[in-house]
Amino acid sequence: METKVTFKNIETAKAPKMIAMLGALVAIVAAFLPWGITSLATVKGTDGDGTITAVLGGLAIVFLWIQKIPVWISALLGLAVASVGVIDFVNMRDAVALDPGNGSVGIGLYLTIAGGVVLLIGAVMQLIQSRK
């Protein structure tokens, strides 16, 4: 029995990959946004670990695009991005607490964590889909 290839089947097959790539893109953009804000300074992600998360997000996009690299590597990159984001979030939260009422964690850290989680979820979805 032949399996009929339809437009819907093709789009469904690409959805996890696109989700993972979107997460990686969010992580890259987040690196250039504020990660911490105090009355004295605004810290962008690229002033610290944002460079690492941007590179990891870029590698994930390349690996997902090439398709010859195992998808689980992109999942690990997503986990790494989210982990760096969480660690930096805790550190930044403690740092801005020293400037009560005037400090806050920047949007870039929230987006870094979200991007890493979305990258991880998309890659895991793609792994599950490929095993069916």
Side-chain angles (χ1 to χ4, degrees), residues 17 62-70 126:
K17 180 179 174 180
V62 169
F63 291 168
L64 288 163
W65 189 272
I66 292 175
Q67 297 180 356
K68 293 186 189 252
I69 309 290
Q126 192 173 1

Side-chain angles (χ1 to χ4, degrees), residues 74-84 116-117 119-120:
S74 293
L76 286 178
L77 291 173
L79 180 62
V81 168
S83 297
V84 168
V117 169
L119 169 56
L120 174 62

Side-chain angles (χ1 to χ4, degrees), residues 32-119:
F32 297 94
L33 297 174
W35 280 27
I37 302 164
T38 67
S39 59
L40 300 175
T42 298
V43 179
K44 292 186 298 185
T46 53
D47 295 335
D49 292 342
T51 305
I52 295 168
T53 59
V55 169
L56 294 176
L59 285 173
I61 289 174
V62 169
F63 291 168
L64 288 163
W65 189 272
I66 292 175
Q67 297 180 356
K68 293 186 189 252
I69 309 290
V71 177
W72 61 266
I73 292 176
S74 293
L76 286 178
L77 291 173
L79 180 62
V81 168
S83 297
V84 168
V86 168
I87 291 167
D88 283 356
F89 176 84
V90 170
N91 292 336
M92 189 61 70
R93 184 192 62 198
D94 293 344
V96 298
L98 299 174
D99 191 8
N102 296 321
S104 65
V105 175
I107 187 72
L109 266 176
Y110 293 107
L111 289 175
T112 297
I113 296 167
V117 169
V118 170
L119 169 56

